[in-house]
Amino acid sequence: REPILCPGHAVRVLSIACRGVLPLALATLILAACGNSGSTGGSQLLRGIGFTANAPADWELERAPRTVLARRPDGPESVAVAVFRLAKPFRAEFWDEVVGELNDVAARLAERLGSTALVVRSGSETLHGRQARSYVIAYSRAGRPLEDRVVFLLRGRREYQLTCRILVDADDGDLEACDELKRSFRSF
């Protein structure tokens, strides 16, 4: 059976996110001390091909052809939604096969993040009333512990990839941003 997903699709999103977030994270380490990782309040609408979602109002918004990314201006945290076209329409009866393919995609994402990156958790969840697959990829960059929390939602010929990059620390503002992204996500 041919794969439902397009090989290497998620790697492009990671590459876009790394180009945008990594320089900012390095500059932050050099120029600033740690601060509050949450938003000062409110939200902004992320709108892309076939979806809407919310991100903290004070995070900087970036758009690429298939990706909308909001990143904290003074830290490595970000939330993003990317949309990919599936090779064929998703059907729920193929879920078990899709899970295997998504496990492979998550492993490739971890490889792209570096030698310290590991998929530490995976599972199924419900997102916007639909079955989705989630992963937590733990790694460190410049001595700081990070997690990428990735959720894949398949609908028709579209794959939505929600990615939250969080700094693992005592402040949970970035977790709130991730929760809000998932809670507010709507596909159409």
Side-chain angles (χ1 to χ4, degrees):
R1 176 173 298 268
E2 39 180 289
I4 293 172
L5 305 176
C6 298
H9 69 286
V11 172
R12 289 185 294 245
V13 173
L14 182 62
S15 181
I16 290 167
C18 286
R19 281 195 309 265
V21 175
L22 185 57
L24 179 62
L26 292 175
T28 300
L29 287 173
I30 295 167
L31 299 174
C34 293
N36 179 14
S37 58
S39 170
T40 58
S43 64
Q44 63 180 315
L45 184 66
L46 305 180
R47 182 182 305 272
I49 299 170
F51 77 88
T52 60
N54 292 334
D58 57 346
W59 287 19
E60 297 171 349
L61 192 61
E62 296 179 15
R63 293 182 185 277
R66 283 181 265 191
T67 306
V68 180
L69 178 127
R71 63 182 168 156
R72 191 175 140 225
D74 61 348
E77 298 89 348
S78 65
V79 294
V81 180
V83 182
F84 301 98
R85 184 170 172 79
L86 297 174
K88 54 187 173 182
F90 169 71
R91 294 194 337 238
E93 61 263 25
F94 296 134
W95 181 250
D96 291 338
E97 288 179 47
V98 168
V99 166
E101 291 181 42
L102 291 173
N103 290 344
D104 292 342
V105 170
R108 286 195 309 270
L109 284 173
E111 287 174 8
R112 291 284 307 245
L113 287 168
S115 61
T116 65
L118 292 172
V119 176
V120 295
R121 191 168 57 241
S122 64
S124 294
E125 64 179 78
T126 301
L127 184 68
H128 184 49
R130 295 180 179 272
Q131 192 169 22
R133 187 76 177 163
S134 63
Y135 300 87
V136 176
I137 303 171
Y139 59 103
S140 64
R141 190 161 282 151
R144 298 171 83 182
L146 297 168
E147 284 184 354
D148 279 8
R149 297 181 178 204
V150 183
V151 179
F152 297 98
L153 174 74
L154 308 178
R155 181 175 181 186
R157 291 194 74 118
R158 289 188 179 144
E159 172 194 339
Y160 300 94
Q161 178 184 329
L162 288 71
T163 304
C164 302
R165 175 160 294 161
I166 63 168
L167 178 63
V168 180
D169 59 8
D171 186 357
D172 63 356
D174 43 1
L175 287 173
E176 292 169 10
C178 188
D179 290 344
E180 178 60 19
L181 178 76
K182 292 192 321 184
R183 189 173 34 254
S184 66
F185 178 83
R186 298 292 178 263
S187 63
F188 47 89

